[in-house]
Amino acid sequence: MATAQELLRAQCARFAALDPQLPDGYPVPPGEPLVARTTSGDAVAGIVTRTSNPPGSMQSLWQPSTVFELFPLIGEHSREGMAALLGAWRDWLRSQGAPERDSACSVIWPSRDVQAAKALLDGGFTPLSCLAVRPPTPPCTFTELSGTVTVRRAGPADLDAVVELTLLELEYAALVGSSTYRPDAPQLKRTAAHVRLHSSDPVWLAERGGTPVAVAECGWVDADRPSAGHRLRPGTWAYVNCVSVREHDRGTGVGQRLMTSAHEEFARAGAVGSFLYYNPPNPLSSVFWPRQGYRPLWTTWEVRPATALR
Ligand SMILES: CC(C)(COP(=O)(O)OP(=O)(O)OC[C@H]1O[C@@H](n2cnc3c(N)ncnc32)[C@H](O)[C@@H]1OP(=O)(O)O)[C@@H](O)C(=O)NCCC(=O)NCCS
């Protein structure tokens, strides 16, 4: 069985691989110890602290009166370890008589750990705030594309590549948003891609050495039609339905290169603008899209799970 020290060491190594901007250590304060086992039998642990923010304290302005905070020690078992620990925490809380009003459970965790994000979302946690950092001299240019990448319009013969790439996006989005990877997802995506590739909707593939590494699956929406839901100003809009870069090629400028081609084509075609949906908890798209010039117009808020709505 892994000791707390071993779990901490493995966790810090994972943090370092996830995001170079994270600090080296993970300080764990004294508190109530929790232990749990993942479904595959791996032991994980955590420390829970309880903080009171009495009326009149500054802290009471941005935190509830009672805050339970969990400091997970889950090593490499991001998703299953977090899920198991949240289950143990729930049981533990019941025995504590936690106040039903003006209280919170909180976990502060690296944004890029999307496996843990999924466990937290499934546990009913919503991403209420995030600590964001900015380098002293932020990039005024975009990531320079590394290697040779070409972009071309996709056609019916590219069905397999398009389906594979859109499924990769669904897999990722299901960890950090409202999507769900259903068992029939491959077939549904295949049918949708088949229709799109046989229509006038623009789909682009980015290739490295002739191998598809990214897709931008787009379409046109006439906002004068009632089907557009009156959410857009009148005119013809380009709709960016799915953009997906293979995991290995992310962060190397491929997405930026792909969207440059797409945006040029949208402008040439006379679109009044382009629109898309992204999930704020997605640590990649929530950075990528604003950098590409997109800004929120409508926000959908959800309570998860539904039973959390009282
Ligand atoms: C979001 C996504 C399409 C962006 O494409 P990309 O090729 O990774 O993006 P780029 O490399 O062109 O730019 C990403 C930016 O994040 C930075 N970045 C740093 N590390 C990164 C990493 N590990 N992964 C992704 N981006 C990273 C890049 O430096 C770049 O910064 P810049 O804007 O200053 O140039 C791609 O990451 C992806 O497929 N993600 C998973 C699926 C997804 O979320 N799709 C969008 C759904 S709305």
Side-chain angles (χ1 to χ4, degrees):
M1 189 172 128
T3 64
Q5 274 311 317
E6 284 165 348
L7 285 168
L8 183 59
R9 249 195 314 276
Q11 184 160 301
C12 289
R14 188 176 145 76
F15 284 3
L18 269 178
D19 190 340
Q21 288 292 320
L22 290 170
D24 289 340
Y26 178 71
V28 182
E32 288 293 323
L34 274 188
V35 287
R37 264 187 199 282
T38 65
T39 42
S40 7
D42 294 303
V44 289
I47 294 292
V48 180
T49 60
R50 178 181 182 143
T51 308
S52 294
N53 299 307
S57 66
M58 276 307 281
Q59 206 71 6
S60 71
L61 296 184
W62 59 82
Q63 280 195 336
S65 296
T66 308
V67 178
F68 295 92
E69 183 171 348
L70 173 66
F71 295 80
L73 292 169
I74 53 181
E76 294 161 345
H77 314 290
S78 249
R79 182 165 171 183
E80 294 199 331
M82 185 68 85
L85 208 52
L86 293 182
W89 193 16
R90 207 162 29 235
D91 295 343
W92 179 84
L93 270 174
R94 263 190 224 122
S95 66
Q96 297 298 306
E100 282 187 27
R101 298 172 65 90
D102 206 4
S103 64
C105 288
S106 112
V107 181
I108 301 173
W109 203 248
S111 306
R112 287 193 180 175
D113 190 354
V114 293
Q115 298 291 339
K118 178 61 179 157
L120 287 160
L121 285 168
D122 285 350
F125 285 77
T126 47
L128 277 188
S129 71
C130 71
L131 186 161
V133 289
R134 175 186 185 273
T137 47
C140 51
T141 52
F142 288 101
T143 295
E144 201 178 315
L145 185 64
S146 60
T148 308
V149 171
T150 51
V151 173
R152 66 170 174 86
R153 277 287 280 268
D158 298 305
L159 183 63
D160 286 348
V162 170
V163 172
E164 196 190 330
L165 287 160
T166 56
L167 282 171
L168 285 178
E169 190 272 339
L170 179 64
E171 207 178 306
Y172 192 89
L175 295 171
V176 285
S178 44
S179 306
T180 305
Y181 198 110
R182 310 260 179 219
D184 56 355
Q187 193 48 53
L188 291 171
K189 284 283 189 187
R190 196 168 190 86
T191 307
H194 178 86
V195 171
R196 205 180 282 282
L197 289 170
H198 283 85
S199 74
S200 57
D201 285 350
V203 178
W204 286 271
L205 276 178
E207 293 176 319
R208 195 166 248 153
T211 303
V213 292
V215 72
E217 210 194 7
C218 307
W220 303 108
V221 168
D222 181 356
D224 299 326
R225 292 223 195 107
S227 58
H230 306 295
R231 296 219 168 94
L232 298 168
R233 293 184 59 79
T236 299
W237 289 76
Y239 171 43
V240 182
N241 178 54
C242 172
V243 177
S244 173
V245 179
R246 263 184 213 282
E247 188 172 357
H248 177 75
D249 295 278
R250 288 176 198 157
T252 64
V254 176
Q256 143 75 8
R257 168 75 184 82
L258 197 55
M259 289 317 295
T260 300
S261 293
H263 289 138
E264 281 171 4
E265 171 71 24
F266 299 161
R268 264 196 307 273
V272 295
S274 48
F275 73 101
L276 49 80
Y277 296 90
Y278 75 87
N279 302 119
N282 182 328
L284 300 180
S285 65
S286 60
V287 180
F288 181 74
W289 291 121
R291 292 273 291 147
Q292 289 291 312
Y294 291 80
R295 64 141 181 103
L297 184 62
W298 300 89
T299 302
T300 303
W301 296 91
E302 291 185 35
V303 172
R304 293 178 180 203
T307 49
L309 192 65
R310 297 192 182 168

PDB file of all heavy atoms in Angstrom, residues 216-235:
ATOM      1  N   ALA A 216     -11.002  21.024 -38.404  1.00  0.00           N
ATOM      2  CA  ALA A 216     -11.939  22.102 -38.049  1.00  0.00           C
ATOM      3  C   ALA A 216     -13.193  21.815 -38.865  1.00  0.00           C
ATOM      4  O   ALA A 216     -13.158  21.853 -40.092  1.00  0.00           O
ATOM      5  CB  ALA A 216     -11.367  23.477 -38.384  1.00  0.00           C
ATOM      6  N   GLU A 217     -14.234  21.482 -38.138  1.00  0.00           N
ATOM      7  CA  GLU A 217     -15.486  21.091 -38.789  1.00  0.00           C
ATOM      8  C   GLU A 217     -16.453  22.259 -38.619  1.00  0.00           C
ATOM      9  O   GLU A 217     -16.852  22.587 -37.501  1.00  0.00           O
ATOM     10  CB  GLU A 217     -16.025  19.859 -38.065  1.00  0.00           C
ATOM     11  CG  GLU A 217     -16.817  18.926 -38.907  1.00  0.00           C
ATOM     12  CD  GLU A 217     -17.583  17.926 -38.035  1.00  0.00           C
ATOM     13  OE1 GLU A 217     -17.598  18.055 -36.805  1.00  0.00           O
ATOM     14  OE2 GLU A 217     -18.171  17.020 -38.622  1.00  0.00           O
ATOM     15  N   CYS A 218     -16.798  22.904 -39.741  1.00  0.00           N
ATOM     16  CA  CYS A 218     -17.585  24.129 -39.639  1.00  0.00           C
ATOM     17  C   CYS A 218     -18.835  24.063 -40.506  1.00  0.00           C
ATOM     18  O   CYS A 218     -19.056  23.086 -41.226  1.00  0.00           O
ATOM     19  CB  CYS A 218     -16.727  25.329 -40.066  1.00  0.00           C
ATOM     20  SG  CYS A 218     -15.159  25.416 -39.171  1.00  0.00           S
ATOM     21  N   GLY A 219     -19.645  25.086 -40.409  1.00  0.00           N
ATOM     22  CA  GLY A 219     -20.864  25.139 -41.219  1.00  0.00           C
ATOM     23  C   GLY A 219     -21.325  26.581 -41.342  1.00  0.00           C
ATOM     24  O   GLY A 219     -20.659  27.502 -40.849  1.00  0.00           O
ATOM     25  N   TRP A 220     -22.432  26.762 -42.003  1.00  0.00           N
ATOM     26  CA  TRP A 220     -22.983  28.115 -42.178  1.00  0.00           C
ATOM     27  C   TRP A 220     -24.339  28.169 -41.494  1.00  0.00           C
ATOM     28  O   TRP A 220     -25.108  27.200 -41.554  1.00  0.00           O
ATOM     29  CB  TRP A 220     -23.170  28.446 -43.668  1.00  0.00           C
ATOM     30  CG  TRP A 220     -21.900  28.330 -44.457  1.00  0.00           C
ATOM     31  CD1 TRP A 220     -21.586  27.369 -45.358  1.00  0.00           C
ATOM     32  CD2 TRP A 220     -20.780  29.223 -44.417  1.00  0.00           C
ATOM     33  NE1 TRP A 220     -20.327  27.577 -45.878  1.00  0.00           N
ATOM     34  CE2 TRP A 220     -19.811  28.725 -45.314  1.00  0.00           C
ATOM     35  CE3 TRP A 220     -20.477  30.390 -43.706  1.00  0.00           C
ATOM     36  CZ2 TRP A 220     -18.586  29.337 -45.521  1.00  0.00           C
ATOM     37  CZ3 TRP A 220     -19.249  31.003 -43.919  1.00  0.00           C
ATOM     38  CH2 TRP A 220     -18.321  30.485 -44.809  1.00  0.00           C
ATOM     39  N   VAL A 221     -24.634  29.274 -40.847  1.00  0.00           N
ATOM     40  CA  VAL A 221     -25.945  29.448 -40.204  1.00  0.00           C
ATOM     41  C   VAL A 221     -26.536  30.766 -40.667  1.00  0.00           C
ATOM     42  O   VAL A 221     -25.879  31.814 -40.587  1.00  0.00           O
ATOM     43  CB  VAL A 221     -25.807  29.439 -38.658  1.00  0.00           C
ATOM     44  CG1 VAL A 221     -27.110  29.906 -38.000  1.00  0.00           C
ATOM     45  CG2 VAL A 221     -25.461  28.041 -38.166  1.00  0.00           C
ATOM     46  N   ASP A 222     -27.764  30.692 -41.182  1.00  0.00           N
ATOM     47  CA  ASP A 222     -28.459  31.898 -41.602  1.00  0.00           C
ATOM     48  C   ASP A 222     -29.274  32.393 -40.403  1.00  0.00           C
ATOM     49  O   ASP A 222     -30.297  31.798 -40.054  1.00  0.00           O
ATOM     50  CB  ASP A 222     -29.370  31.539 -42.793  1.00  0.00           C
ATOM     51  CG  ASP A 222     -30.102  32.749 -43.308  1.00  0.00           C
ATOM     52  OD1 ASP A 222     -29.954  33.835 -42.700  1.00  0.00           O
ATOM     53  OD2 ASP A 222     -30.832  32.611 -44.304  1.00  0.00           O
ATOM     54  N   ALA A 223     -28.818  33.469 -39.779  1.00  0.00           N
ATOM     55  CA  ALA A 223     -29.468  33.930 -38.546  1.00  0.00           C
ATOM     56  C   ALA A 223     -30.812  34.592 -38.818  1.00  0.00           C
ATOM     57  O   ALA A 223     -31.514  34.968 -37.877  1.00  0.00           O
ATOM     58  CB  ALA A 223     -28.551  34.897 -37.800  1.00  0.00           C
ATOM     59  N   ASP A 224     -31.155  34.780 -40.093  1.00  0.00           N
ATOM     60  CA  ASP A 224     -32.480  35.338 -40.393  1.00  0.00           C
ATOM     61  C   ASP A 224     -33.550  34.268 -40.198  1.00  0.00           C
ATOM     62  O   ASP A 224     -34.727  34.572 -40.087  1.00  0.00           O
ATOM     63  CB  ASP A 224     -32.529  35.877 -41.831  1.00  0.00           C
ATOM     64  CG  ASP A 224     -31.496  36.983 -42.005  1.00  0.00           C
ATOM     65  OD1 ASP A 224     -31.273  37.720 -41.036  1.00  0.00           O
ATOM     66  OD2 ASP A 224     -30.887  37.072 -43.087  1.00  0.00           O
ATOM     67  N   ARG A 225     -33.108  32.997 -40.165  1.00  0.00           N
ATOM     68  CA  ARG A 225     -34.072  31.901 -39.970  1.00  0.00           C
ATOM     69  C   ARG A 225     -34.393  31.731 -38.485  1.00  0.00           C
ATOM     70  O   ARG A 225     -33.498  31.851 -37.649  1.00  0.00           O
ATOM     71  CB  ARG A 225     -33.458  30.582 -40.457  1.00  0.00           C
ATOM     72  CG  ARG A 225     -33.278  30.541 -41.939  1.00  0.00           C
ATOM     73  CD  ARG A 225     -33.719  29.175 -42.450  1.00  0.00           C
ATOM     74  NE  ARG A 225     -33.233  28.961 -43.807  1.00  0.00           N
ATOM     75  CZ  ARG A 225     -32.249  28.131 -44.088  1.00  0.00           C
ATOM     76  NH1 ARG A 225     -31.699  27.436 -43.145  1.00  0.00           N
ATOM     77  NH2 ARG A 225     -31.864  27.979 -45.326  1.00  0.00           N
ATOM     78  N   PRO A 226     -35.632  31.397 -38.130  1.00  0.00           N
ATOM     79  CA  PRO A 226     -35.986  31.232 -36.717  1.00  0.00           C
ATOM     80  C   PRO A 226     -35.174  30.132 -36.041  1.00  0.00           C
ATOM     81  O   PRO A 226     -34.936  30.186 -34.833  1.00  0.00           O
ATOM     82  CB  PRO A 226     -37.470  30.843 -36.738  1.00  0.00           C
ATOM     83  CG  PRO A 226     -37.947  31.075 -38.127  1.00  0.00           C
ATOM     84  CD  PRO A 226     -36.771  31.165 -39.031  1.00  0.00           C
ATOM     85  N   SER A 227     -34.656  29.152 -36.828  1.00  0.00           N
ATOM     86  CA  SER A 227     -33.921  28.041 -36.226  1.00  0.00           C
ATOM     87  C   SER A 227     -32.651  28.508 -35.516  1.00  0.00           C
ATOM     88  O   SER A 227     -32.098  27.820 -34.668  1.00  0.00           O
ATOM     89  CB  SER A 227     -33.577  27.003 -37.286  1.00  0.00           C
ATOM     90  OG  SER A 227     -32.817  27.626 -38.288  1.00  0.00           O
ATOM     91  N   ALA A 228     -32.177  29.695 -35.857  1.00  0.00           N
ATOM     92  CA  ALA A 228     -30.967  30.203 -35.194  1.00  0.00           C
ATOM     93  C   ALA A 228     -31.283  30.658 -33.771  1.00  0.00           C
ATOM     94  O   ALA A 228     -30.390  31.032 -33.017  1.00  0.00           O
ATOM     95  CB  ALA A 228     -30.364  31.346 -35.993  1.00  0.00           C
ATOM     96  N   GLY A 229     -32.561  30.590 -33.398  1.00  0.00           N
ATOM     97  CA  GLY A 229     -32.942  30.829 -32.008  1.00  0.00           C
ATOM     98  C   GLY A 229     -32.871  32.287 -31.597  1.00  0.00           C
ATOM     99  O   GLY A 229     -32.904  32.594 -30.417  1.00  0.00           O
ATOM    100  N   HIS A 230     -32.776  33.194 -32.535  1.00  0.00           N
ATOM    101  CA  HIS A 230     -32.716  34.638 -32.244  1.00  0.00           C
ATOM    102  C   HIS A 230     -31.575  34.964 -31.292  1.00  0.00           C
ATOM    103  O   HIS A 230     -31.679  35.881 -30.494  1.00  0.00           O
ATOM    104  CB  HIS A 230     -34.050  35.127 -31.641  1.00  0.00           C
ATOM    105  CG  HIS A 230     -35.228  34.778 -32.491  1.00  0.00           C
ATOM    106  ND1 HIS A 230     -35.419  35.307 -33.747  1.00  0.00           N
ATOM    107  CD2 HIS A 230     -36.257  33.932 -32.289  1.00  0.00           C
ATOM    108  CE1 HIS A 230     -36.525  34.815 -34.271  1.00  0.00           C
ATOM    109  NE2 HIS A 230     -37.048  33.956 -33.419  1.00  0.00           N
ATOM    110  N   ARG A 231     -30.544  34.193 -31.332  1.00  0.00           N
ATOM    111  CA  ARG A 231     -29.433  34.480 -30.417  1.00  0.00           C
ATOM    112  C   ARG A 231     -28.321  35.256 -31.125  1.00  0.00           C
ATOM    113  O   ARG A 231     -27.370  35.682 -30.506  1.00  0.00           O
ATOM    114  CB  ARG A 231     -28.857  33.180 -29.843  1.00  0.00           C
ATOM    115  CG  ARG A 231     -29.857  32.437 -28.998  1.00  0.00           C
ATOM    116  CD  ARG A 231     -29.214  31.812 -27.780  1.00  0.00           C
ATOM    117  NE  ARG A 231     -30.228  31.349 -26.861  1.00  0.00           N
ATOM    118  CZ  ARG A 231     -30.696  30.111 -26.836  1.00  0.00           C
ATOM    119  NH1 ARG A 231     -30.235  29.209 -27.679  1.00  0.00           N
ATOM    120  NH2 ARG A 231     -31.617  29.779 -25.962  1.00  0.00           N
ATOM    121  N   LEU A 232     -28.448  35.370 -32.466  1.00  0.00           N
ATOM    122  CA  LEU A 232     -27.404  36.042 -33.231  1.00  0.00           C
ATOM    123  C   LEU A 232     -28.029  37.194 -34.002  1.00  0.00           C
ATOM    124  O   LEU A 232     -29.207  37.146 -34.353  1.00  0.00           O
ATOM    125  CB  LEU A 232     -26.767  35.067 -34.231  1.00  0.00           C
ATOM    126  CG  LEU A 232     -26.055  33.855 -33.642  1.00  0.00           C
ATOM    127  CD1 LEU A 232     -25.745  32.836 -34.742  1.00  0.00           C
ATOM    128  CD2 LEU A 232     -24.762  34.289 -32.963  1.00  0.00           C
ATOM    129  N   ARG A 233     -27.228  38.192 -34.312  1.00  0.00           N
ATOM    130  CA  ARG A 233     -27.727  39.281 -35.139  1.00  0.00           C
ATOM    131  C   ARG A 233     -27.932  38.749 -36.562  1.00  0.00           C
ATOM    132  O   ARG A 233     -27.326  37.745 -36.945  1.00  0.00           O
ATOM    133  CB  ARG A 233     -26.738  40.449 -35.113  1.00  0.00           C
ATOM    134  CG  ARG A 233     -26.660  41.089 -33.717  1.00  0.00           C
ATOM    135  CD  ARG A 233     -25.768  42.304 -33.707  1.00  0.00           C
ATOM    136  NE  ARG A 233     -26.251  43.317 -34.648  1.00  0.00           N
ATOM    137  CZ  ARG A 233     -27.258  44.150 -34.391  1.00  0.00           C
ATOM    138  NH1 ARG A 233     -27.871  44.091 -33.224  1.00  0.00           N
ATOM    139  NH2 ARG A 233     -27.627  45.032 -35.283  1.00  0.00           N
ATOM    140  N   PRO A 234     -28.786  39.420 -37.336  1.00  0.00           N
ATOM    141  CA  PRO A 234     -29.105  38.891 -38.663  1.00  0.00           C
ATOM    142  C   PRO A 234     -27.867  38.752 -39.557  1.00  0.00           C
ATOM    143  O   PRO A 234     -26.863  39.433 -39.357  1.00  0.00           O
ATOM    144  CB  PRO A 234     -30.054  39.944 -39.251  1.00  0.00           C
ATOM    145  CG  PRO A 234     -30.519  40.745 -38.100  1.00  0.00           C
ATOM    146  CD  PRO A 234     -29.476  40.669 -37.037  1.00  0.00           C
ATOM    147  N   GLY A 235     -27.957  37.861 -40.517  1.00  0.00           N
ATOM    148  CA  GLY A 235     -26.872  37.669 -41.483  1.00  0.00           C
ATOM    149  C   GLY A 235     -26.428  36.224 -41.528  1.00  0.00           C
ATOM    150  O   GLY A 235     -26.922  35.377 -40.775  1.00  0.00           O
TER     151      GLY A 235
END
